[in-house]
Amino acid sequence: TYAVLGYRTKAIEHFQRALELAPTDSNIYIGFGYDLNQLGLPDEAARVWQQAEKLDPQNAKLQEFLGSYFQEQGDLDQAITHYRNAVQTDVTQTMVAANSLAVILITHPDPSKRNGPEAVQLALTVHELLQSRGESSPQVLTTLAEAYTLCGQWEKASETLTEAIRLAQSMGQLE
């Protein structure tokens, strides 16, 4: 995209023209928002994504982008809502959303909004999806270990954290 290549004005012009030609195409709004975010304009990106949401509220990636925006803004309740929407729509396409939601449910500053069992289920789902693709993630395993800890499942937490450390070491992420 123009934004990734650093052509801010060109990227904006491109999307504005596309929206003139297809004003009801949610994918154009989603792409425009993505590029605005890449250009360091997250508030403008969120406004564009919210327009896309009116056209296609069930778009999983859009919900993931909105969740990420609200998480970065510190609005964890909105982030939870959008991440849940993303995961419920299509978890296989929104594994980042699922792991991010699990992290929020583990670490939310309001203890009444923490949810260990849901966080365990989310992190396990992502871990299993990655394994089915022959992949693995130390970050997801760490999230799972933290979720087990929140649930008081100390042995599982310890085993999972050990697995995350071994994996990170094998990937050169830890010495």
Side-chain angles (χ1 to χ4, degrees), residues 122-156:
L122 287 162
L124 266 176
T125 298
V126 174
H127 178 62
E128 290 168 359
L129 284 168
L130 287 170
Q131 283 188 315
S132 73
R133 298 176 179 182
E135 301 172 21
S136 204
S137 165
Q139 292 81 9
V140 170
L141 287 170
T142 300
T143 301
L144 181 57
E146 291 169 350
Y148 282 140
T149 299
L150 184 61
C151 292
Q153 297 179 13
W154 314 116
E155 190 171 319
K156 283 185 176 182

PDB file of all heavy atoms in Angstrom, residues 122-156:
ATOM      1  N   LEU A 122      -9.590 -19.204  25.793  1.00  0.00           N
ATOM      2  CA  LEU A 122      -9.109 -18.429  24.641  1.00  0.00           C
ATOM      3  C   LEU A 122      -7.667 -18.807  24.294  1.00  0.00           C
ATOM      4  O   LEU A 122      -7.343 -19.074  23.137  1.00  0.00           O
ATOM      5  CB  LEU A 122      -9.200 -16.932  24.931  1.00  0.00           C
ATOM      6  CG  LEU A 122     -10.602 -16.341  24.932  1.00  0.00           C
ATOM      7  CD1 LEU A 122     -10.602 -15.002  25.661  1.00  0.00           C
ATOM      8  CD2 LEU A 122     -11.111 -16.185  23.510  1.00  0.00           C
ATOM      9  N   ALA A 123      -6.795 -18.813  25.297  1.00  0.00           N
ATOM     10  CA  ALA A 123      -5.382 -19.113  25.053  1.00  0.00           C
ATOM     11  C   ALA A 123      -5.203 -20.559  24.568  1.00  0.00           C
ATOM     12  O   ALA A 123      -4.392 -20.815  23.669  1.00  0.00           O
ATOM     13  CB  ALA A 123      -4.554 -18.850  26.309  1.00  0.00           C
ATOM     14  N   LEU A 124      -5.965 -21.484  25.139  1.00  0.00           N
ATOM     15  CA  LEU A 124      -5.901 -22.878  24.674  1.00  0.00           C
ATOM     16  C   LEU A 124      -6.351 -22.988  23.218  1.00  0.00           C
ATOM     17  O   LEU A 124      -5.728 -23.709  22.424  1.00  0.00           O
ATOM     18  CB  LEU A 124      -6.799 -23.767  25.537  1.00  0.00           C
ATOM     19  CG  LEU A 124      -6.158 -24.473  26.710  1.00  0.00           C
ATOM     20  CD1 LEU A 124      -7.209 -25.225  27.523  1.00  0.00           C
ATOM     21  CD2 LEU A 124      -5.047 -25.399  26.276  1.00  0.00           C
ATOM     22  N   THR A 125      -7.395 -22.279  22.872  1.00  0.00           N
ATOM     23  CA  THR A 125      -7.902 -22.311  21.496  1.00  0.00           C
ATOM     24  C   THR A 125      -6.841 -21.811  20.527  1.00  0.00           C
ATOM     25  O   THR A 125      -6.582 -22.443  19.498  1.00  0.00           O
ATOM     26  CB  THR A 125      -9.183 -21.468  21.367  1.00  0.00           C
ATOM     27  OG1 THR A 125     -10.195 -22.042  22.210  1.00  0.00           O
ATOM     28  CG2 THR A 125      -9.677 -21.400  19.939  1.00  0.00           C
ATOM     29  N   VAL A 126      -6.216 -20.687  20.864  1.00  0.00           N
ATOM     30  CA  VAL A 126      -5.173 -20.142  19.985  1.00  0.00           C
ATOM     31  C   VAL A 126      -4.002 -21.108  19.895  1.00  0.00           C
ATOM     32  O   VAL A 126      -3.485 -21.382  18.803  1.00  0.00           O
ATOM     33  CB  VAL A 126      -4.706 -18.747  20.466  1.00  0.00           C
ATOM     34  CG1 VAL A 126      -3.524 -18.259  19.641  1.00  0.00           C
ATOM     35  CG2 VAL A 126      -5.853 -17.745  20.397  1.00  0.00           C
ATOM     36  N   HIS A 127      -3.576 -21.644  21.040  1.00  0.00           N
ATOM     37  CA  HIS A 127      -2.460 -22.598  21.055  1.00  0.00           C
ATOM     38  C   HIS A 127      -2.776 -23.806  20.169  1.00  0.00           C
ATOM     39  O   HIS A 127      -1.935 -24.233  19.367  1.00  0.00           O
ATOM     40  CB  HIS A 127      -2.164 -23.023  22.489  1.00  0.00           C
ATOM     41  CG  HIS A 127      -1.078 -24.030  22.617  1.00  0.00           C
ATOM     42  ND1 HIS A 127       0.223 -23.784  22.223  1.00  0.00           N
ATOM     43  CD2 HIS A 127      -1.102 -25.309  23.080  1.00  0.00           C
ATOM     44  CE1 HIS A 127       0.953 -24.862  22.447  1.00  0.00           C
ATOM     45  NE2 HIS A 127       0.178 -25.794  22.963  1.00  0.00           N
ATOM     46  N   GLU A 128      -3.978 -24.347  20.286  1.00  0.00           N
ATOM     47  CA  GLU A 128      -4.363 -25.514  19.487  1.00  0.00           C
ATOM     48  C   GLU A 128      -4.455 -25.174  18.001  1.00  0.00           C
ATOM     49  O   GLU A 128      -4.063 -25.986  17.151  1.00  0.00           O
ATOM     50  CB  GLU A 128      -5.681 -26.086  20.014  1.00  0.00           C
ATOM     51  CG  GLU A 128      -5.520 -26.749  21.377  1.00  0.00           C
ATOM     52  CD  GLU A 128      -6.841 -27.063  22.070  1.00  0.00           C
ATOM     53  OE1 GLU A 128      -7.922 -26.748  21.510  1.00  0.00           O
ATOM     54  OE2 GLU A 128      -6.786 -27.615  23.183  1.00  0.00           O
ATOM     55  N   LEU A 129      -4.965 -23.988  17.675  1.00  0.00           N
ATOM     56  CA  LEU A 129      -5.018 -23.574  16.272  1.00  0.00           C
ATOM     57  C   LEU A 129      -3.608 -23.460  15.683  1.00  0.00           C
ATOM     58  O   LEU A 129      -3.358 -23.896  14.558  1.00  0.00           O
ATOM     59  CB  LEU A 129      -5.758 -22.241  16.128  1.00  0.00           C
ATOM     60  CG  LEU A 129      -7.273 -22.303  16.245  1.00  0.00           C
ATOM     61  CD1 LEU A 129      -7.856 -20.897  16.374  1.00  0.00           C
ATOM     62  CD2 LEU A 129      -7.870 -23.019  15.042  1.00  0.00           C
ATOM     63  N   LEU A 130      -2.705 -22.874  16.457  1.00  0.00           N
ATOM     64  CA  LEU A 130      -1.322 -22.770  15.992  1.00  0.00           C
ATOM     65  C   LEU A 130      -0.712 -24.153  15.807  1.00  0.00           C
ATOM     66  O   LEU A 130      -0.049 -24.419  14.799  1.00  0.00           O
ATOM     67  CB  LEU A 130      -0.487 -21.936  16.974  1.00  0.00           C
ATOM     68  CG  LEU A 130      -0.754 -20.437  16.972  1.00  0.00           C
ATOM     69  CD1 LEU A 130      -0.036 -19.769  18.151  1.00  0.00           C
ATOM     70  CD2 LEU A 130      -0.337 -19.806  15.652  1.00  0.00           C
ATOM     71  N   GLN A 131      -0.921 -25.043  16.769  1.00  0.00           N
ATOM     72  CA  GLN A 131      -0.371 -26.397  16.669  1.00  0.00           C
ATOM     73  C   GLN A 131      -0.920 -27.125  15.447  1.00  0.00           C
ATOM     74  O   GLN A 131      -0.183 -27.869  14.793  1.00  0.00           O
ATOM     75  CB  GLN A 131      -0.684 -27.200  17.934  1.00  0.00           C
ATOM     76  CG  GLN A 131       0.206 -26.834  19.099  1.00  0.00           C
ATOM     77  CD  GLN A 131      -0.002 -27.774  20.267  1.00  0.00           C
ATOM     78  OE1 GLN A 131      -1.122 -28.099  20.630  1.00  0.00           O
ATOM     79  NE2 GLN A 131       1.100 -28.216  20.849  1.00  0.00           N
ATOM     80  N   SER A 132      -2.191 -26.890  15.116  1.00  0.00           N
ATOM     81  CA  SER A 132      -2.780 -27.555  13.952  1.00  0.00           C
ATOM     82  C   SER A 132      -2.131 -27.085  12.653  1.00  0.00           C
ATOM     83  O   SER A 132      -2.206 -27.769  11.644  1.00  0.00           O
ATOM     84  CB  SER A 132      -4.290 -27.320  13.896  1.00  0.00           C
ATOM     85  OG  SER A 132      -4.583 -25.990  13.503  1.00  0.00           O
ATOM     86  N   ARG A 133      -1.460 -25.947  12.704  1.00  0.00           N
ATOM     87  CA  ARG A 133      -0.742 -25.403  11.552  1.00  0.00           C
ATOM     88  C   ARG A 133       0.758 -25.695  11.625  1.00  0.00           C
ATOM     89  O   ARG A 133       1.532 -25.185  10.827  1.00  0.00           O
ATOM     90  CB  ARG A 133      -0.932 -23.889  11.477  1.00  0.00           C
ATOM     91  CG  ARG A 133      -2.359 -23.459  11.285  1.00  0.00           C
ATOM     92  CD  ARG A 133      -2.465 -21.958  11.330  1.00  0.00           C
ATOM     93  NE  ARG A 133      -3.837 -21.536  11.129  1.00  0.00           N
ATOM     94  CZ  ARG A 133      -4.226 -20.292  11.076  1.00  0.00           C
ATOM     95  NH1 ARG A 133      -3.349 -19.313  11.208  1.00  0.00           N
ATOM     96  NH2 ARG A 133      -5.488 -19.988  10.884  1.00  0.00           N
ATOM     97  N   GLY A 134       1.158 -26.444  12.650  1.00  0.00           N
ATOM     98  CA  GLY A 134       2.570 -26.750  12.825  1.00  0.00           C
ATOM     99  C   GLY A 134       3.351 -25.578  13.389  1.00  0.00           C
ATOM    100  O   GLY A 134       4.561 -25.486  13.217  1.00  0.00           O
ATOM    101  N   GLU A 135       2.660 -24.676  14.077  1.00  0.00           N
ATOM    102  CA  GLU A 135       3.298 -23.493  14.639  1.00  0.00           C
ATOM    103  C   GLU A 135       3.131 -23.494  16.156  1.00  0.00           C
ATOM    104  O   GLU A 135       2.355 -24.270  16.708  1.00  0.00           O
ATOM    105  CB  GLU A 135       2.653 -22.217  14.065  1.00  0.00           C
ATOM    106  CG  GLU A 135       2.731 -22.102  12.556  1.00  0.00           C
ATOM    107  CD  GLU A 135       1.915 -20.933  12.018  1.00  0.00           C
ATOM    108  OE1 GLU A 135       1.624 -20.000  12.787  1.00  0.00           O
ATOM    109  OE2 GLU A 135       1.564 -20.976  10.834  1.00  0.00           O
ATOM    110  N   SER A 136       3.867 -22.594  16.799  1.00  0.00           N
ATOM    111  CA  SER A 136       3.746 -22.418  18.236  1.00  0.00           C
ATOM    112  C   SER A 136       4.197 -21.015  18.582  1.00  0.00           C
ATOM    113  O   SER A 136       4.938 -20.390  17.825  1.00  0.00           O
ATOM    114  CB  SER A 136       4.595 -23.456  18.965  1.00  0.00           C
ATOM    115  OG  SER A 136       4.095 -23.677  20.257  1.00  0.00           O
ATOM    116  N   SER A 137       3.751 -20.513  19.727  1.00  0.00           N
ATOM    117  CA  SER A 137       4.074 -19.147  20.129  1.00  0.00           C
ATOM    118  C   SER A 137       4.383 -19.087  21.619  1.00  0.00           C
ATOM    119  O   SER A 137       3.523 -19.423  22.444  1.00  0.00           O
ATOM    120  CB  SER A 137       2.903 -18.218  19.814  1.00  0.00           C
ATOM    121  OG  SER A 137       3.039 -16.984  20.480  1.00  0.00           O
ATOM    122  N   PRO A 138       5.584 -18.625  21.976  1.00  0.00           N
ATOM    123  CA  PRO A 138       5.891 -18.467  23.399  1.00  0.00           C
ATOM    124  C   PRO A 138       4.959 -17.453  24.066  1.00  0.00           C
ATOM    125  O   PRO A 138       4.610 -17.610  25.237  1.00  0.00           O
ATOM    126  CB  PRO A 138       7.332 -17.952  23.422  1.00  0.00           C
ATOM    127  CG  PRO A 138       7.866 -18.085  22.052  1.00  0.00           C
ATOM    128  CD  PRO A 138       6.722 -18.283  21.126  1.00  0.00           C
ATOM    129  N   GLN A 139       4.533 -16.440  23.319  1.00  0.00           N
ATOM    130  CA  GLN A 139       3.641 -15.425  23.881  1.00  0.00           C
ATOM    131  C   GLN A 139       2.289 -16.030  24.249  1.00  0.00           C
ATOM    132  O   GLN A 139       1.736 -15.743  25.315  1.00  0.00           O
ATOM    133  CB  GLN A 139       3.457 -14.259  22.897  1.00  0.00           C
ATOM    134  CG  GLN A 139       4.699 -13.436  22.682  1.00  0.00           C
ATOM    135  CD  GLN A 139       5.693 -14.054  21.683  1.00  0.00           C
ATOM    136  OE1 GLN A 139       5.407 -15.030  21.000  1.00  0.00           O
ATOM    137  NE2 GLN A 139       6.886 -13.488  21.631  1.00  0.00           N
ATOM    138  N   VAL A 140       1.770 -16.876  23.377  1.00  0.00           N
ATOM    139  CA  VAL A 140       0.479 -17.515  23.653  1.00  0.00           C
ATOM    140  C   VAL A 140       0.618 -18.472  24.840  1.00  0.00           C
ATOM    141  O   VAL A 140      -0.255 -18.514  25.714  1.00  0.00           O
ATOM    142  CB  VAL A 140      -0.061 -18.238  22.397  1.00  0.00           C
ATOM    143  CG1 VAL A 140      -1.273 -19.096  22.734  1.00  0.00           C
ATOM    144  CG2 VAL A 140      -0.404 -17.223  21.311  1.00  0.00           C
ATOM    145  N   LEU A 141       1.717 -19.211  24.893  1.00  0.00           N
ATOM    146  CA  LEU A 141       1.940 -20.112  26.029  1.00  0.00           C
ATOM    147  C   LEU A 141       2.084 -19.327  27.331  1.00  0.00           C
ATOM    148  O   LEU A 141       1.596 -19.761  28.379  1.00  0.00           O
ATOM    149  CB  LEU A 141       3.175 -20.979  25.784  1.00  0.00           C
ATOM    150  CG  LEU A 141       2.988 -22.089  24.752  1.00  0.00           C
ATOM    151  CD1 LEU A 141       4.330 -22.722  24.396  1.00  0.00           C
ATOM    152  CD2 LEU A 141       2.002 -23.131  25.246  1.00  0.00           C
ATOM    153  N   THR A 142       2.716 -18.173  27.270  1.00  0.00           N
ATOM    154  CA  THR A 142       2.835 -17.326  28.467  1.00  0.00           C
ATOM    155  C   THR A 142       1.461 -16.843  28.909  1.00  0.00           C
ATOM    156  O   THR A 142       1.143 -16.843  30.111  1.00  0.00           O
ATOM    157  CB  THR A 142       3.779 -16.141  28.189  1.00  0.00           C
ATOM    158  OG1 THR A 142       5.065 -16.652  27.839  1.00  0.00           O
ATOM    159  CG2 THR A 142       3.907 -15.236  29.412  1.00  0.00           C
ATOM    160  N   THR A 143       0.631 -16.436  27.949  1.00  0.00           N
ATOM    161  CA  THR A 143      -0.739 -16.029  28.280  1.00  0.00           C
ATOM    162  C   THR A 143      -1.480 -17.187  28.940  1.00  0.00           C
ATOM    163  O   THR A 143      -2.171 -16.996  29.951  1.00  0.00           O
ATOM    164  CB  THR A 143      -1.493 -15.569  27.017  1.00  0.00           C
ATOM    165  OG1 THR A 143      -0.801 -14.464  26.420  1.00  0.00           O
ATOM    166  CG2 THR A 143      -2.921 -15.162  27.339  1.00  0.00           C
ATOM    167  N   LEU A 144      -1.331 -18.381  28.378  1.00  0.00           N
ATOM    168  CA  LEU A 144      -1.996 -19.555  28.946  1.00  0.00           C
ATOM    169  C   LEU A 144      -1.503 -19.825  30.364  1.00  0.00           C
ATOM    170  O   LEU A 144      -2.314 -20.090  31.271  1.00  0.00           O
ATOM    171  CB  LEU A 144      -1.771 -20.771  28.045  1.00  0.00           C
ATOM    172  CG  LEU A 144      -2.416 -22.081  28.475  1.00  0.00           C
ATOM    173  CD1 LEU A 144      -3.924 -21.938  28.649  1.00  0.00           C
ATOM    174  CD2 LEU A 144      -2.089 -23.180  27.452  1.00  0.00           C
ATOM    175  N   ALA A 145      -0.208 -19.713  30.590  1.00  0.00           N
ATOM    176  CA  ALA A 145       0.348 -19.923  31.933  1.00  0.00           C
ATOM    177  C   ALA A 145      -0.217 -18.896  32.916  1.00  0.00           C
ATOM    178  O   ALA A 145      -0.568 -19.231  34.058  1.00  0.00           O
ATOM    179  CB  ALA A 145       1.875 -19.837  31.894  1.00  0.00           C
ATOM    180  N   GLU A 146      -0.321 -17.652  32.478  1.00  0.00           N
ATOM    181  CA  GLU A 146      -0.874 -16.604  33.347  1.00  0.00           C
ATOM    182  C   GLU A 146      -2.353 -16.876  33.649  1.00  0.00           C
ATOM    183  O   GLU A 146      -2.818 -16.637  34.767  1.00  0.00           O
ATOM    184  CB  GLU A 146      -0.704 -15.236  32.691  1.00  0.00           C
ATOM    185  CG  GLU A 146       0.745 -14.797  32.628  1.00  0.00           C
ATOM    186  CD  GLU A 146       0.966 -13.569  31.752  1.00  0.00           C
ATOM    187  OE1 GLU A 146       0.039 -13.146  31.030  1.00  0.00           O
ATOM    188  OE2 GLU A 146       2.083 -13.031  31.790  1.00  0.00           O
ATOM    189  N   ALA A 147      -3.086 -17.376  32.658  1.00  0.00           N
ATOM    190  CA  ALA A 147      -4.491 -17.707  32.873  1.00  0.00           C
ATOM    191  C   ALA A 147      -4.628 -18.853  33.875  1.00  0.00           C
ATOM    192  O   ALA A 147      -5.493 -18.808  34.769  1.00  0.00           O
ATOM    193  CB  ALA A 147      -5.153 -18.056  31.542  1.00  0.00           C
ATOM    194  N   TYR A 148      -3.781 -19.862  33.730  1.00  0.00           N
ATOM    195  CA  TYR A 148      -3.791 -20.961  34.701  1.00  0.00           C
ATOM    196  C   TYR A 148      -3.492 -20.434  36.108  1.00  0.00           C
ATOM    197  O   TYR A 148      -4.111 -20.861  37.086  1.00  0.00           O
ATOM    198  CB  TYR A 148      -2.770 -22.033  34.326  1.00  0.00           C
ATOM    199  CG  TYR A 148      -3.179 -22.969  33.217  1.00  0.00           C
ATOM    200  CD1 TYR A 148      -2.251 -23.368  32.253  1.00  0.00           C
ATOM    201  CD2 TYR A 148      -4.467 -23.495  33.137  1.00  0.00           C
ATOM    202  CE1 TYR A 148      -2.595 -24.246  31.231  1.00  0.00           C
ATOM    203  CE2 TYR A 148      -4.819 -24.375  32.117  1.00  0.00           C
ATOM    204  CZ  TYR A 148      -3.881 -24.738  31.177  1.00  0.00           C
ATOM    205  OH  TYR A 148      -4.229 -25.617  30.167  1.00  0.00           O
ATOM    206  N   THR A 149      -2.556 -19.511  36.206  1.00  0.00           N
ATOM    207  CA  THR A 149      -2.214 -18.939  37.509  1.00  0.00           C
ATOM    208  C   THR A 149      -3.419 -18.237  38.119  1.00  0.00           C
ATOM    209  O   THR A 149      -3.721 -18.416  39.310  1.00  0.00           O
ATOM    210  CB  THR A 149      -1.034 -17.947  37.372  1.00  0.00           C
ATOM    211  OG1 THR A 149       0.103 -18.661  36.871  1.00  0.00           O
ATOM    212  CG2 THR A 149      -0.688 -17.310  38.700  1.00  0.00           C
ATOM    213  N   LEU A 150      -4.122 -17.439  37.301  1.00  0.00           N
ATOM    214  CA  LEU A 150      -5.303 -16.733  37.790  1.00  0.00           C
ATOM    215  C   LEU A 150      -6.353 -17.712  38.308  1.00  0.00           C
ATOM    216  O   LEU A 150      -7.066 -17.418  39.261  1.00  0.00           O
ATOM    217  CB  LEU A 150      -5.888 -15.850  36.673  1.00  0.00           C
ATOM    218  CG  LEU A 150      -7.083 -14.972  37.036  1.00  0.00           C
ATOM    219  CD1 LEU A 150      -6.708 -13.968  38.133  1.00  0.00           C
ATOM    220  CD2 LEU A 150      -7.591 -14.240  35.800  1.00  0.00           C
ATOM    221  N   CYS A 151      -6.409 -18.886  37.699  1.00  0.00           N
ATOM    222  CA  CYS A 151      -7.378 -19.912  38.104  1.00  0.00           C
ATOM    223  C   CYS A 151      -6.871 -20.775  39.260  1.00  0.00           C
ATOM    224  O   CYS A 151      -7.569 -21.686  39.709  1.00  0.00           O
ATOM    225  CB  CYS A 151      -7.720 -20.807  36.915  1.00  0.00           C
ATOM    226  SG  CYS A 151      -8.640 -19.968  35.624  1.00  0.00           S
ATOM    227  N   GLY A 152      -5.645 -20.529  39.710  1.00  0.00           N
ATOM    228  CA  GLY A 152      -5.080 -21.318  40.804  1.00  0.00           C
ATOM    229  C   GLY A 152      -4.598 -22.686  40.381  1.00  0.00           C
ATOM    230  O   GLY A 152      -4.372 -23.561  41.221  1.00  0.00           O
ATOM    231  N   GLN A 153      -4.385 -22.878  39.091  1.00  0.00           N
ATOM    232  CA  GLN A 153      -3.893 -24.159  38.574  1.00  0.00           C
ATOM    233  C   GLN A 153      -2.373 -24.067  38.445  1.00  0.00           C
ATOM    234  O   GLN A 153      -1.824 -23.954  37.354  1.00  0.00           O
ATOM    235  CB  GLN A 153      -4.568 -24.473  37.234  1.00  0.00           C
ATOM    236  CG  GLN A 153      -6.062 -24.647  37.352  1.00  0.00           C
ATOM    237  CD  GLN A 153      -6.721 -24.927  36.020  1.00  0.00           C
ATOM    238  OE1 GLN A 153      -6.080 -25.234  35.026  1.00  0.00           O
ATOM    239  NE2 GLN A 153      -8.043 -24.827  35.991  1.00  0.00           N
ATOM    240  N   TRP A 154      -1.707 -24.108  39.604  1.00  0.00           N
ATOM    241  CA  TRP A 154      -0.281 -23.821  39.695  1.00  0.00           C
ATOM    242  C   TRP A 154       0.582 -24.789  38.898  1.00  0.00           C
ATOM    243  O   TRP A 154       1.540 -24.368  38.251  1.00  0.00           O
ATOM    244  CB  TRP A 154       0.159 -23.806  41.161  1.00  0.00           C
ATOM    245  CG  TRP A 154      -0.765 -23.027  42.037  1.00  0.00           C
ATOM    246  CD1 TRP A 154      -1.528 -23.515  43.063  1.00  0.00           C
ATOM    247  CD2 TRP A 154      -1.069 -21.637  41.955  1.00  0.00           C
ATOM    248  NE1 TRP A 154      -2.283 -22.516  43.625  1.00  0.00           N
ATOM    249  CE2 TRP A 154      -2.010 -21.343  42.961  1.00  0.00           C
ATOM    250  CE3 TRP A 154      -0.651 -20.592  41.140  1.00  0.00           C
ATOM    251  CZ2 TRP A 154      -2.533 -20.068  43.181  1.00  0.00           C
ATOM    252  CZ3 TRP A 154      -1.166 -19.320  41.350  1.00  0.00           C
ATOM    253  CH2 TRP A 154      -2.090 -19.068  42.350  1.00  0.00           C
ATOM    254  N   GLU A 155       0.273 -26.075  38.962  1.00  0.00           N
ATOM    255  CA  GLU A 155       1.103 -27.064  38.256  1.00  0.00           C
ATOM    256  C   GLU A 155       1.020 -26.860  36.741  1.00  0.00           C
ATOM    257  O   GLU A 155       2.037 -26.853  36.047  1.00  0.00           O
ATOM    258  CB  GLU A 155       0.680 -28.487  38.633  1.00  0.00           C
ATOM    259  CG  GLU A 155       1.672 -29.526  38.128  1.00  0.00           C
ATOM    260  CD  GLU A 155       1.367 -30.910  38.691  1.00  0.00           C
ATOM    261  OE1 GLU A 155       1.025 -31.023  39.892  1.00  0.00           O
ATOM    262  OE2 GLU A 155       1.487 -31.868  37.916  1.00  0.00           O
ATOM    263  N   LYS A 156      -0.199 -26.675  36.230  1.00  0.00           N
ATOM    264  CA  LYS A 156      -0.355 -26.422  34.796  1.00  0.00           C
ATOM    265  C   LYS A 156       0.340 -25.118  34.402  1.00  0.00           C
ATOM    266  O   LYS A 156       0.953 -25.022  33.334  1.00  0.00           O
ATOM    267  CB  LYS A 156      -1.834 -26.346  34.402  1.00  0.00           C
ATOM    268  CG  LYS A 156      -2.513 -27.682  34.310  1.00  0.00           C
ATOM    269  CD  LYS A 156      -3.940 -27.509  33.802  1.00  0.00           C
ATOM    270  CE  LYS A 156      -4.610 -28.836  33.605  1.00  0.00           C
ATOM    271  NZ  LYS A 156      -5.975 -28.687  33.059  1.00  0.00           N
TER     272      LYS A 156
END
